[in-house]
Amino acid sequence: MNGLAFFLFLVIVALTLVITYYASKRTKTTSDFYTADSSLTGWQNGLAIAGDYMSAASFLGIAGMIALAGFDGFFYSIGFLVAYLVVLYIVAEPLRNLGKYTMADMIAARFDDKKVRGVAALNTIAISTFYMIAQLVGAGGLIKLLLGLDYIYSVLIVGILMTVYVVFGGMTATSWVQIIKAVLLMVGTFIISIIVFAKFDFSIAKMFHEMKTATPLGDAFLNPGNKFKNPLDTISLNLALVLGTAGLPHILIRFFTVKDAPTARKSVVYATWVIGIFYVLTIFLGFGAAAFVGHDNIVAADPAGNMAAPLLAEALGGDFLFAFVAAVAFATILAVVAGLVLSAASAFAHDFYSHILRRGQATEKEQMLAARWASVGVSVLSILLALFAQKMNVAFLVSLAFAVAASANLPTIVFTIFWRRFNTTGAITGMLVGLISALLLVFFSPNVWSPQPGAAIFVGEPLFKLANPGIISIPLGFIGAIIGTLVSSKKADEKKYTEIVVKANTGIGRV
């Protein structure tokens, strides 16, 4: 066990619990719990979005993916960053103007139908759970490396902590944990990147030249095709990454934590700058790990490469930098999983319990209680699923969550705002077709099935040959929404659509 790392772990946990304690005193109403009473400023929410988005996949997964697969790993950095253009230009402003607490609120602003709200809540819970598995896998590997604890106990520790943050602190605690984590992560990444760059005499040309001989891949390290042999897999991955962010529930609910649409737009701009700088720096993390830790050492610590960044910190800065980076990675995971639990709990308590089961008659106290119990339920489910995904790269796991989000949520969000003829049947069909097709394709893919024992969860030949379902499931989501609309006998409410367009673009009549 690394004593210094364990101490910094305790400091991070203590700091976040103090934040939760003070936030719990301010969390009195459902508005406080779901959206921090829309009290965050643009820069605060921008940092919180960045903190929510720069997950274990970004810090642990991408560094490992670049170190082991070279150029192919950088696809993740590009896709995650470009995705924010879709969020900025299509989703952020209409979502803030039309919604109140959850994504389902936005869709329900046009289609006041219990089925629509119920399916939207189901999507949110499914996507949040999928995304959370990746974070818990990263946490399990990290704590196992640092403290020598078994993977199962590591996952349980993180699961308990994330539940405590959400149950007691709500969105206020979650936001401030994310803001502090974003600052710490940027500091840690910047320090490592500068040290790596210094090792190459601050020369980009020298760095790229030396990387040709630094790994077993040789010259191929700098070329595409090391991980993604099939071009369709590459296209599928990038489609999922670029379009998926605009459908991620834990990112979408962040736009309800500010007072209006202009502030939501500002927060996306702040977040994009922070995220952009971070993803550029992932090149130094990946190259540094490949050059100074080595392929064999990275794989020995974790076959999927998830521990490349902490091992690089240890190689460059000894125990202290290793301990600091590991503690930051732990804070990263805690911040993201808290946001994920909150988005899933909000969907259950606000959309399913309050609007469907109680038909809008639930009191604030009953909603808060339902949200807290939902937080516990989602945490337990995610922990159980994470126990089966131990050997997968976390960046890769997250890309699957992005594919599900882009397939299930994005078509309905886009058509709700931009298609006059879109109706209730189209919304339900689009969400269900996108969700079910994405989940089924993941289940029948090489991620779950492999002829080689131990390479996947089940032994056998995969029916679906692509690793990421995005290239099939995303178009299916859009097609399902279109066909559902066209074959339905229900007519679109023209007056309602006109009202939605005005409200989405101006905020007039916003709750």
Side-chain angles (χ1 to χ4, degrees):
M1 183 186 290
N2 186 312
L4 183 59
F6 184 62
F7 172 71
L8 287 177
F9 259 81
L10 293 179
V11 169
I12 292 282
V13 171
L15 178 64
T16 52
L17 289 175
V18 168
I19 291 169
T20 305
Y21 172 72
Y22 283 106
S24 66
K25 292 186 168 184
R26 295 177 56 184
T27 305
K28 304 296 182 191
T29 66
T30 50
S31 180
D32 294 331
F33 187 86
Y34 295 137
T35 65
D37 201 28
S38 301
S39 60
L40 296 186
T41 63
W43 72 266
Q44 287 171 344
N45 197 43
L47 272 177
I49 290 171
D52 213 348
Y53 196 64
M54 297 184 301
S55 64
S58 302
F59 188 53
L60 301 176
I62 293 177
M65 193 73 83
I66 293 175
L68 298 180
F71 184 91
D72 282 8
F74 193 55
F75 279 133
Y76 288 89
S77 296
I78 300 166
F80 285 149
L81 175 58
V82 173
Y84 265 85
L85 293 176
V86 180
V87 175
L88 178 63
Y89 290 115
I90 296 178
V91 173
E93 191 171 350
L95 187 79
R96 179 64 194 90
N97 284 333
L98 295 175
K100 186 179 180 185
Y101 294 147
T102 63
M103 186 202 84
D105 282 338
M106 174 209 176
I107 299 164
R110 181 170 176 187
F111 308 114
D112 191 12
D113 188 292
K114 286 180 185 175
K115 290 179 192 151
V116 174
R117 192 180 278 277
V119 174
L122 174 69
N123 279 359
T124 295
I125 293 166
I127 294 162
S128 298
T129 304
F130 221 109
Y131 203 104
M132 215 177 316
I133 294 168
Q135 310 308 314
L136 292 174
V137 169
L142 187 66
I143 298 175
K144 186 180 178 183
L145 176 71
L146 282 167
L147 309 181
L149 286 178
D150 190 70
Y151 176 81
I152 295 172
Y153 298 119
S154 305
V155 169
L156 283 172
I157 289 170
V158 178
I160 291 165
L161 282 170
M162 72 185 184
T163 310
V164 169
Y165 298 148
V166 177
V167 168
F168 294 104
M171 181 56 91
T172 305
T174 301
S175 296
W176 281 102
V177 168
Q178 287 163 347
I179 289 168
I180 291 168
K181 162 259 164 127
V183 174
L184 288 173
L185 184 60
M186 288 301 293
V187 169
T189 306
F190 185 73
I191 290 169
I192 297 174
S193 299
I194 290 295
I195 297 172
V196 169
F197 204 23
K199 293 274 188 183
F200 293 109
D201 300 328
F202 296 101
S203 169
I204 294 284
K206 184 179 179 182
M207 180 170 74
F208 275 80
H209 179 72
E210 290 193 13
M211 290 313 299
K212 291 180 182 179
T213 56
T215 77
L217 294 172
D219 284 355
F221 183 81
L222 299 176
N223 298 322
N226 296 316
K227 179 171 175 59
F228 302 109
K229 311 289 184 188
N230 186 340
L232 285 178
D233 244 336
T234 309
I235 296 169
S236 194
L237 170 74
N238 283 290
L239 267 176
L241 297 182
V242 170
L243 299 178
T245 303
L248 287 176
H250 68 293
I251 298 297
L252 298 180
I253 64 169
R254 291 236 56 93
F255 298 120
F256 301 128
T257 62
V258 294
K259 61 182 179 179
D260 53 28
T263 314
R265 250 195 334 268
K266 277 182 197 168
S267 62
V268 177
V269 174
Y270 281 116
T272 306
W273 273 105
V274 175
I275 291 163
I277 294 166
F278 173 78
Y279 284 126
V280 169
L281 296 179
T282 56
I283 299 173
F284 296 99
L285 297 181
F287 280 17
F292 306 121
V293 178
H295 180 277
D296 293 344
N297 291 331
I298 294 170
V299 173
D302 186 285
N306 294 324
M307 295 301 110
L311 290 172
L312 173 62
E314 185 176 37
L316 297 177
D319 280 353
F320 179 77
L321 190 57
F322 173 65
F324 175 72
V325 166
V328 168
F330 187 61
T332 294
I333 291 164
L334 290 179
V336 176
V337 291
L340 290 163
V341 171
L342 186 61
S343 67
S346 301
F348 179 84
H350 177 66
D351 298 320
F352 187 72
Y353 174 76
S354 178
H355 280 86
I356 297 174
L357 289 182
R358 297 297 305 277
R359 301 180 182 180
Q361 301 302 311
T363 64
E364 291 243 328
K365 188 176 179 182
E366 288 171 336
Q367 277 196 65
M368 291 280 283
L369 191 62
R372 284 171 168 149
W373 276 112
S375 302
V376 175
V378 169
S379 300
V380 170
L381 177 63
S382 302
I383 289 166
L384 291 174
L385 291 173
L387 299 179
F388 294 98
Q390 182 178 354
K391 294 178 182 176
M392 293 188 180
N393 179 280
V394 289
F396 180 71
L397 278 171
V398 160
S399 72
L400 298 180
F402 273 65
V404 178
S407 309
N409 283 346
L410 186 63
T412 301
I413 290 171
V414 169
F415 287 148
T416 296
I417 304 166
F418 297 109
W419 191 18
R420 185 178 293 274
R421 282 190 64 182
F422 195 45
N423 59 27
T424 306
T425 309
I428 294 169
T429 310
M431 286 190 284
L432 285 177
V433 168
L435 178 67
I436 294 167
S437 64
L439 291 177
L440 282 177
L441 291 174
V442 168
F443 180 76
F444 290 116
S445 74
N447 313 305
V448 178
W449 297 88
S450 174
Q452 299 175 330
I457 298 171
F458 300 116
V459 178
E461 198 66 39
L463 295 177
F464 181 64
K465 302 300 180 184
L466 298 181
N468 192 293
I471 197 168
I472 305 293
S473 60
I474 296 171
L476 279 178
F478 279 95
I479 291 166
I482 292 167
I483 292 175
T485 299
L486 297 179
V487 301
S488 171
S489 58
K490 292 183 180 179
K491 297 292 181 185
D493 187 335
E494 296 279 332
K495 185 180 176 186
K496 188 71 174 176
Y497 178 71
T498 306
E499 181 188 312
I500 288 297
V501 170
V502 172
K503 190 175 175 183
N505 287 287
T506 65
I508 295 172
R510 178 173 59 83
V511 177

